[in-house]
């Protein structure tokens, strides 16, 4: 425990220093392998999510374009 009163004496002169130090009780050490593991997991999760969204959004090949619908509506005089 580094807390306490520290005294330094040089050539008959003394100086004191009061130290208050808090230590983290629930801290974990984060080293390079841990950080790289987090980054790799994040990239893999992001790619998985992107592929899932791409697959879910789907490609409706049988659906006609909306442009033809607009042309039909504009040519209809009742609509105008």
């Amino acid at each position: 425990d580094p807390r306490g009163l520290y005294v330094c004496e040089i050539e008959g002169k003394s100086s004191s220093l009061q130290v208050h130090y808090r230590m983290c009780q629930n801290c974990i050490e984060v080293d390079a392998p841990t950080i790289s593991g987090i980054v790799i997991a994040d990239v893999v999760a992001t790619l998985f999510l992107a592929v899932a969204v791409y697959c879910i959004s789907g490609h409706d090949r049988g659906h006609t374009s909306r442009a033809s619908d607009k042309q039909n509506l504009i040519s209809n005089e009742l609509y105008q």
Side-chain angles (χ1 to χ4, degrees), residues 4 7 9 12-13 18 20 24 27 34 36 38 46 48 50-51 53 56-57 60-61 63 66-68 73 75 77:
V7 179
E9 294 184 22
K13 296 180 182 179
Q18 182 73 33
H20 297 279
C24 181
C27 296
T34 304
S36 62
I38 291 171
T46 302
F48 178 73
V51 169
V53 168
I56 290 172
S57 67
D60 296 333
R61 296 193 188 340
H63 187 271
R66 295 272 180 184
S68 63
L73 289 175
S75 66
E77 292 184 22

Side-chain angles (χ1 to χ4, degrees), residues 5-43:
L5 180 65
Y6 291 89
V7 179
C8 179
E9 294 184 22
I10 299 176
E11 297 176 2
K13 296 180 182 179
S14 66
S15 295
S16 62
L17 175 67
Q18 182 73 33
V19 175
H20 297 279
Y21 184 74
R22 263 192 180 163
M23 296 181 69
C24 181
Q25 299 296 327
N26 298 325
C27 296
I28 58 170
E29 183 178 342
V30 180
D31 51 353
T34 304
I35 293 173
S36 62
I38 291 171
V39 169
I40 290 170
D42 186 28
V43 169

Side-chain angles (χ1 to χ4, degrees), residues 62-74:
H63 187 271
T64 59
S65 69
R66 295 272 180 184
S68 63
D69 293 341
K70 289 180 185 177
Q71 289 173 355
N72 290 336
L73 289 175
I74 290 173

